[in-house]
Amino acid sequence: GAVVSQHPSWVICKSGTSVKIECRSLDFQATTMFWYRQFPKQSLMLMATSNEGSKATYEQGVEKDKFLINHASLTLSTLTVTSAHPEDSSFYICSADRGGSGELFFGEGSRLTVL
Amino acid sequence: AQTVTQSQPEMSVQEAETVTLSCTYDTSESDYYLFWYKQPPSRQMILVIRQEAYKQQNATENRFSVNFQKAAKSFSLKISDSQLGDAAMYFCAYRSAMNFNKFYFGSGTKLNVKP
């Protein structure tokens, strides 16, 4: 299969702190990783894409200084929410592209609650 | 820009019956991929079915099939013999074959399955 693991699945933090979410492709090398944000009962909003060793490409309206994405290796991408505020509370989902089939494989998602 | 539209926020189907979920998309590209993903309460996105735009034949995966109308930019999902486990959010998605970093979702359709 193609397994993508995301960690942590749930995180609560205080306002002003930074939170890091990891996304790993466990059994394949990901050519590209995608980060999405999902509000309750809404769709997935593409935040950015990242390729190993390159700077992430952010969608319009997404603050790159707020949402730092690092793609350290072909199996690991991280999203750091810096100086988190309550409005950053959301469900964050990563996905990975194995290449070839066009489909993305998704992690389990991470729920961020900022107090 | 590509947009994906799902006009049915919620639908219900009786167990063992057939239901069709609608999806339309807007693009000026000729080559792309279309997907239906399922998001159960666990929130993990699961691929249901995929279609390459250059293929005229509609994709089929067991009880799931699509009606792909390229000229009309329509991509509906038919679920036959609905089962209780089919209850979930269903998202239609578009991926550009020209720019693989563009992977967009529709707003989703919540499917209820009645026993």
Side-chain angles (χ1 to χ4, degrees):
Chain A
V3 180
V4 176
S5 178
Q6 201 171 329
H7 178 80
S9 56
W10 198 301
V11 57
I12 301 173
C13 70
K14 292 182 178 179
S15 185
T17 62
S18 294
V19 174
K20 180 185 286 187
I21 300 170
E22 290 188 349
C23 179
R24 294 181 184 272
S25 55
L26 298 185
D27 52 0
F28 66 98
Q29 293 184 329
T31 54
T32 306
M33 285 190 174
F34 295 67
W35 287 95
Y36 290 88
R37 182 174 182 176
Q38 187 178 32
F39 292 101
K41 298 184 179 181
Q42 293 190 26
S43 186
L44 283 72
M45 181 191 77
L46 180 61
M47 299 175 66
T49 56
S50 68
N51 296 289
E52 185 257 344
S54 303
K55 288 184 178 180
T57 301
Y58 290 82
E59 291 293 295
Q60 193 172 7
V62 178
E63 299 176 62
K64 55 184 68 176
D65 294 332
K66 158 71 80 174
F67 300 101
L68 298 178
I69 292 172
N70 181 269
H71 198 145
S73 72
L74 285 172
T75 60
L76 173 64
S77 177
T78 60
L79 167 68
T80 301
V81 183
T82 62
S83 187
H85 287 92
E87 58 265 30
D88 298 324
S89 298
S90 190
F91 193 67
Y92 293 88
I93 306 175
C94 77
S95 61
D97 186 356
R98 186 172 59 180
S101 63
E103 70 185 274
L104 296 183
F105 299 92
F106 285 80
E108 311 94 322
S110 299
R111 178 169 300 285
L112 171 63
T113 300
V114 185
L115 302 176
Chain B
Q2 293 79 22
T3 58
V4 181
T5 302
Q6 293 178 249
S7 59
Q8 305 151 318
E10 187 166 358
M11 293 191 72
S12 295
V13 63
Q14 205 72 34
E15 196 176 5
E17 299 287 302
T18 295
V19 64
T20 299
L21 308 183
S22 301
C23 173
T24 59
Y25 56 94
D26 184 29
T27 185
S28 58
E29 299 175 343
S30 59
D31 197 12
Y32 47 87
Y33 299 87
L34 296 167
F35 306 87
W36 279 98
Y37 277 87
K38 170 184 177 181
Q39 188 180 40
S42 67
R43 306 296 292 273
Q44 174 123 39
M45 300 286 283
I46 302 166
L47 177 69
V48 175
I49 199 165
R50 64 189 289 270
Q51 174 87 39
E52 290 120 323
Y54 68 87
K55 289 186 176 179
Q56 292 186 335
Q57 187 172 6
N58 289 323
T60 299
E61 287 287 341
N62 301 313
R63 298 183 294 108
F64 300 88
S65 62
V66 298
N67 184 2
F68 173 47
Q69 300 290 326
K70 191 172 184 178
K73 297 180 183 175
S74 170
F75 183 61
S76 61
L77 173 70
K78 185 172 82 171
I79 306 174
S80 304
D81 186 25
S82 296
Q83 300 175 0
L84 295 177
D86 294 335
M89 283 292 292
Y90 285 81
F91 292 97
C92 179
Y94 172 102
R95 186 174 198 180
S96 168
M98 300 282 289
N99 184 348
F100 253 30
N101 283 359
K102 302 302 181 185
F103 198 116
Y104 299 112
F105 287 87
S107 55
T109 297
K110 182 180 180 183
L111 178 66
N112 304 304
V113 181
K114 300 177 181 178

